Amino acid sequence: MANSPQIEFLPEPGMDVRQLFILLHGVGGTPDSLLPLAEAVRAAFPTAAVLIPEGFEPFDGGGAGRQWFSVRGVTEENRPARVAAALPALAAYVQQAQQRFGLLQSDTALAGFSQGAIMALELVQAHDGMAGRVMAFSGRYAELPKTAPRYTTLHLLHGSADPVMDVALIQAAQTRLDELHGDSTIDVATGLGHELHPALIQRAIVRLQTCVPLRSWEAALGLDQSPPDGTTVH
Protein backbone atom coordinates (compact mmCIF):
# COMPACT_ATOMS: atom_id res chain seq x y z
CA MET A 1 0.00 0.00 0.00
CA ALA A 2 2.74 2.40 -1.06
CA ASN A 3 2.25 6.16 -1.24
CA SER A 4 -1.54 6.02 -0.87
CA PRO A 5 -3.31 9.42 -1.00
CA GLN A 6 -5.54 8.31 1.87
CA ILE A 7 -5.86 5.12 3.87
CA GLU A 8 -9.01 4.28 5.77
CA PHE A 9 -10.10 1.41 7.93
CA LEU A 10 -13.74 0.86 8.89
CA PRO A 11 -15.29 -1.53 11.43
CA GLU A 12 -16.30 -5.01 10.39
CA PRO A 13 -19.53 -5.24 8.37
CA GLY A 14 -22.56 -4.98 10.60
CA MET A 15 -20.78 -2.87 13.22
CA ASP A 16 -21.75 0.76 13.66
CA VAL A 17 -19.01 3.39 13.56
CA ARG A 18 -18.87 4.85 17.07
CA GLN A 19 -15.50 6.62 17.08
CA LEU A 20 -13.37 8.48 14.58
CA PHE A 21 -9.59 8.57 14.57
CA ILE A 22 -7.73 10.84 12.14
CA LEU A 23 -3.97 10.26 11.92
CA LEU A 24 -1.57 12.89 10.54
CA HIS A 25 1.88 11.97 9.24
CA GLY A 26 5.11 13.95 9.51
CA VAL A 27 6.72 16.27 6.99
CA GLY A 28 7.87 14.46 3.87
CA GLY A 29 5.91 11.37 4.93
CA THR A 30 2.98 9.40 3.58
CA PRO A 31 -0.07 7.77 5.18
CA ASP A 32 1.70 4.41 5.08
CA SER A 33 4.11 5.55 7.78
CA LEU A 34 1.25 5.55 10.30
CA LEU A 35 0.04 2.01 9.64
CA PRO A 36 1.49 0.65 12.93
CA LEU A 37 -0.47 3.26 14.87
CA ALA A 38 -3.60 2.57 12.83
CA GLU A 39 -3.37 -1.16 13.54
CA ALA A 40 -2.99 -0.53 17.27
CA VAL A 41 -6.01 1.77 17.27
CA ARG A 42 -8.10 -0.74 15.34
CA ALA A 43 -7.23 -3.53 17.76
CA ALA A 44 -8.12 -1.40 20.78
CA PHE A 45 -11.21 0.27 19.30
CA PRO A 46 -12.92 -2.13 16.87
CA THR A 47 -15.90 0.18 16.31
CA ALA A 48 -13.68 3.07 15.18
CA ALA A 49 -13.20 4.46 11.70
CA VAL A 50 -9.50 5.23 11.21
CA LEU A 51 -8.60 7.73 8.48
CA ILE A 52 -5.06 8.60 7.40
CA PRO A 53 -5.05 11.48 4.92
CA GLU A 54 -1.95 12.60 3.10
CA GLY A 55 -0.58 16.07 3.68
CA PHE A 56 -2.36 18.61 1.54
CA GLU A 57 0.84 19.90 -0.10
CA PRO A 58 3.64 18.15 -2.02
CA PHE A 59 6.82 17.96 0.06
CA ASP A 60 9.02 20.81 -1.09
CA GLY A 61 12.08 18.80 -0.14
CA GLY A 62 11.47 16.54 -3.13
CA GLY A 63 10.37 12.94 -3.49
CA ALA A 64 6.92 11.43 -3.19
CA GLY A 65 6.20 12.63 0.36
CA ARG A 66 3.72 15.25 1.47
CA GLN A 67 3.62 18.08 3.99
CA TRP A 68 1.07 20.12 5.91
CA PHE A 69 3.16 23.28 5.68
CA SER A 70 6.58 24.14 4.32
CA VAL A 71 9.63 23.93 6.53
CA ARG A 72 11.87 25.58 3.96
CA GLY A 73 13.32 28.59 5.73
CA VAL A 74 11.11 28.00 8.75
CA THR A 75 11.92 29.93 11.92
CA GLU A 76 10.40 30.32 15.35
CA GLU A 77 8.97 33.62 14.13
CA ASN A 78 7.32 32.46 10.90
CA ARG A 79 6.18 28.96 11.96
CA PRO A 80 2.92 30.12 13.62
CA ALA A 81 1.73 31.89 10.46
CA ARG A 82 2.51 28.87 8.30
CA VAL A 83 0.58 26.58 10.61
CA ALA A 84 -2.35 29.00 10.81
CA ALA A 85 -2.55 29.10 7.01
CA ALA A 86 -2.69 25.29 6.87
CA LEU A 87 -5.37 24.83 9.54
CA PRO A 88 -8.56 25.72 7.60
CA ALA A 89 -8.14 22.84 5.13
CA LEU A 90 -7.53 20.39 7.97
CA ALA A 91 -10.50 21.71 9.95
CA ALA A 92 -12.72 21.22 6.90
CA TYR A 93 -11.43 17.66 6.45
CA VAL A 94 -12.16 16.77 10.07
CA GLN A 95 -15.65 18.28 9.94
CA GLN A 96 -16.47 16.45 6.70
CA ALA A 97 -15.36 13.16 8.24
CA GLN A 98 -17.52 13.78 11.32
CA GLN A 99 -20.50 14.52 9.11
CA ARG A 100 -19.83 11.45 6.97
CA PHE A 101 -20.06 9.12 9.96
CA GLY A 102 -22.61 11.13 11.93
CA LEU A 103 -20.25 11.51 14.89
CA LEU A 104 -19.77 14.28 17.39
CA GLN A 105 -16.57 16.18 17.98
CA SER A 106 -16.29 14.39 21.32
CA ASP A 107 -16.26 11.06 19.44
CA THR A 108 -13.22 12.18 17.45
CA ALA A 109 -9.53 11.72 18.22
CA LEU A 110 -6.61 13.21 16.34
CA ALA A 111 -3.15 11.69 16.36
CA GLY A 112 -0.12 13.23 14.73
CA PHE A 113 3.56 12.49 14.38
CA SER A 114 6.10 15.34 14.18
CA GLN A 115 4.62 17.98 11.84
CA GLY A 116 1.32 16.11 12.08
CA ALA A 117 1.46 16.53 15.86
CA ILE A 118 1.92 20.28 15.45
CA MET A 119 -1.16 20.37 13.25
CA ALA A 120 -3.25 18.32 15.69
CA LEU A 121 -2.26 20.45 18.69
CA GLU A 122 -2.79 23.73 16.91
CA LEU A 123 -6.11 22.64 15.40
CA VAL A 124 -7.71 22.11 18.80
CA GLN A 125 -6.02 25.27 20.01
CA ALA A 126 -7.79 27.20 17.26
CA HIS A 127 -11.02 25.15 17.48
CA ASP A 128 -11.42 23.98 21.06
CA GLY A 129 -13.25 20.67 21.20
CA MET A 130 -13.06 19.87 17.48
CA ALA A 131 -11.68 16.58 18.77
CA GLY A 132 -12.16 15.08 22.19
CA ARG A 133 -8.61 13.75 22.30
CA VAL A 134 -5.25 14.52 20.72
CA MET A 135 -2.23 12.22 20.71
CA ALA A 136 0.88 14.21 19.81
CA PHE A 137 3.91 12.05 19.04
CA SER A 138 7.32 13.73 18.79
CA GLY A 139 5.71 17.11 18.28
CA ARG A 140 5.48 20.62 19.66
CA TYR A 141 3.34 23.73 19.51
CA ALA A 142 4.03 26.32 16.84
CA GLU A 143 4.10 28.67 19.82
CA LEU A 144 3.30 28.06 23.45
CA PRO A 145 -0.44 28.38 24.10
CA LYS A 146 -1.89 31.41 25.83
CA THR A 147 -5.02 29.46 26.80
CA ALA A 148 -5.68 25.75 27.22
CA PRO A 149 -8.44 23.85 25.42
CA ARG A 150 -11.38 23.19 27.74
CA TYR A 151 -12.97 20.41 25.72
CA THR A 152 -9.97 18.44 24.45
CA THR A 153 -7.70 16.09 26.37
CA LEU A 154 -4.10 16.20 25.15
CA HIS A 155 -1.69 13.26 25.35
CA LEU A 156 1.92 14.27 24.68
CA LEU A 157 4.35 11.45 23.82
CA HIS A 158 8.02 11.97 23.12
CA GLY A 159 11.47 10.41 23.07
CA SER A 160 14.03 11.83 25.49
CA ALA A 161 16.77 11.73 22.81
CA ASP A 162 14.76 13.31 19.97
CA PRO A 163 17.28 15.22 17.81
CA VAL A 164 14.62 16.89 15.64
CA MET A 165 12.17 18.26 18.19
CA ASP A 166 13.91 18.58 21.51
CA VAL A 167 11.99 17.04 24.38
CA ALA A 168 12.39 20.34 26.25
CA LEU A 169 9.87 21.89 23.85
CA ILE A 170 7.08 19.50 24.76
CA GLN A 171 8.01 19.60 28.44
CA ALA A 172 7.69 23.38 28.32
CA ALA A 173 4.30 22.95 26.68
CA GLN A 174 3.16 20.60 29.44
CA THR A 175 4.30 23.08 32.06
CA ARG A 176 2.35 25.84 30.33
CA LEU A 177 -0.76 23.68 30.03
CA ASP A 178 -0.55 22.88 33.75
CA GLU A 179 -0.34 26.60 34.52
CA LEU A 180 -3.41 27.18 32.35
CA HIS A 181 -5.38 24.38 34.01
CA GLY A 182 -5.24 22.32 30.81
CA ASP A 183 -6.22 18.67 30.54
CA SER A 184 -3.04 16.94 29.42
CA THR A 185 -0.66 14.09 30.09
CA ILE A 186 2.96 13.64 29.09
CA ASP A 187 5.00 10.47 28.58
CA VAL A 188 8.71 10.65 27.77
CA ALA A 189 10.47 7.45 26.72
CA THR A 190 14.10 7.26 27.78
CA GLY A 191 16.60 6.94 24.96
CA LEU A 192 14.13 7.15 22.08
CA GLY A 193 14.72 9.50 19.18
CA HIS A 194 12.40 11.05 16.61
CA GLU A 195 10.30 7.99 15.85
CA LEU A 196 6.86 6.52 16.19
CA HIS A 197 8.11 3.80 18.50
CA PRO A 198 5.90 0.85 19.52
CA ALA A 199 6.40 1.75 23.18
CA LEU A 200 4.91 5.20 22.62
CA ILE A 201 2.06 3.78 20.56
CA GLN A 202 1.19 1.35 23.33
CA ARG A 203 1.38 4.10 25.93
CA ALA A 204 -1.00 6.22 23.87
CA ILE A 205 -3.52 3.38 23.72
CA VAL A 206 -3.30 2.99 27.51
CA ARG A 207 -3.90 6.71 27.94
CA LEU A 208 -6.94 6.56 25.68
CA GLN A 209 -8.38 3.58 27.52
CA THR A 210 -7.73 4.68 31.09
CA CYS A 211 -7.62 8.49 31.37
CA VAL A 212 -10.84 10.16 32.45
CA PRO A 213 -11.04 13.62 30.88
CA LEU A 214 -10.72 16.41 33.41
CA ARG A 215 -14.01 17.95 32.24
CA SER A 216 -15.82 14.66 32.97
CA TRP A 217 -14.23 14.44 36.43
CA GLU A 218 -15.35 17.97 37.26
CA ALA A 219 -18.86 17.46 35.88
CA ALA A 220 -19.33 14.27 37.90
CA LEU A 221 -18.37 16.07 41.11
CA GLY A 222 -20.14 19.31 40.25
CA LEU A 223 -16.86 21.17 40.35
CA ASP A 224 -15.17 23.77 38.20
CA GLN A 225 -11.66 23.08 39.39
CA SER A 226 -8.91 20.55 38.86
CA PRO A 227 -8.31 17.37 40.85
CA PRO A 228 -6.09 17.86 43.91
CA ASP A 229 -2.87 17.21 41.97
CA GLY A 230 -3.95 19.28 38.95
CA THR A 231 -3.58 16.43 36.46
CA THR A 232 -5.78 14.16 34.41
CA VAL A 233 -7.36 11.45 36.52
CA HIS A 234 -6.30 7.98 35.38
Side-chain angles (χ1 to χ4, degrees):
M1 197 181 295
N3 299 330
S4 303
Q6 172 169 301
I7 297 173
E8 69 174 41
F9 299 100
L10 302 181
E12 294 295 328
M15 298 179 68
D16 293 334
V17 177
R18 299 188 178 277
Q19 296 150 311
L20 172 63
F21 284 80
I22 297 175
L23 316 185
L24 309 175
H25 64 72
V27 66
T30 64
D32 306 74
S33 64
L34 297 180
L35 285 175
L37 176 58
E39 293 294 349
V41 168
R42 293 180 68 206
F45 302 96
T47 60
V50 182
L51 308 185
I52 319 177
E54 66 173 8
F56 300 144
E57 299 179 0
F59 178 44
D60 57 18
R66 306 287 293 184
Q67 64 188 23
W68 304 100
F69 61 90
S70 176
V71 295
R72 182 175 292 169
V74 70
T75 65
E76 291 296 313
E77 290 71 29
N78 64 30
R79 183 182 290 106
R82 295 187 185 193
V83 173
L87 287 180
L90 180 58
Y93 177 89
V94 173
Q95 291 169 332
Q96 288 167 5
Q98 290 166 339
Q99 292 168 5
R100 172 187 170 188
F101 296 109
L103 295 176
L104 302 174
Q105 295 177 329
S106 57
D107 300 320
T108 304
L110 303 178
F113 171 72
S114 192
Q115 189 180 85
I118 295 175
M119 294 295 292
L121 288 170
E122 293 291 352
L123 183 64
V124 297
Q125 192 64 30
H127 303 280
D128 187 4
M130 180 167 282
R133 303 266 188 157
V134 165
M135 296 173 286
F137 296 89
S138 303
R140 57 167 294 176
Y141 279 91
E143 59 181 344
L144 287 177
K146 297 179 177 63
T147 60
R150 294 187 60 194
Y151 303 106
T152 304
T153 300
L154 309 173
H155 302 298
L156 314 176
L157 304 112
H158 219 91
S160 67
D162 191 329
V164 177
M165 295 199 189
D166 195 292
V167 68
L169 294 169
I170 206 65
Q171 290 170 328
Q174 174 68 8
T175 297
R176 176 64 61 85
L177 289 166
D178 283 346
E179 293 169 351
L180 297 170
H181 186 47
D183 186 8
S184 62
T185 66
I186 186 169
D187 292 286
V188 176
T190 302
L192 293 187
H194 195 69
E195 57 185 310
L196 190 60
H197 193 277
L200 291 178
I201 292 176
Q202 183 55 42
R203 186 59 181 165
I205 297 299
V206 170
R207 288 295 194 184
L208 290 173
Q209 291 176 325
T210 62
C211 286
V212 177
L214 177 60
R215 58 192 178 277
S216 299
W217 189 94
E218 292 177 339
L221 296 182
L223 299 175
D224 187 22
Q225 60 185 24
S226 64
D229 61 355
T231 63
T232 298
V233 179
H234 60 280

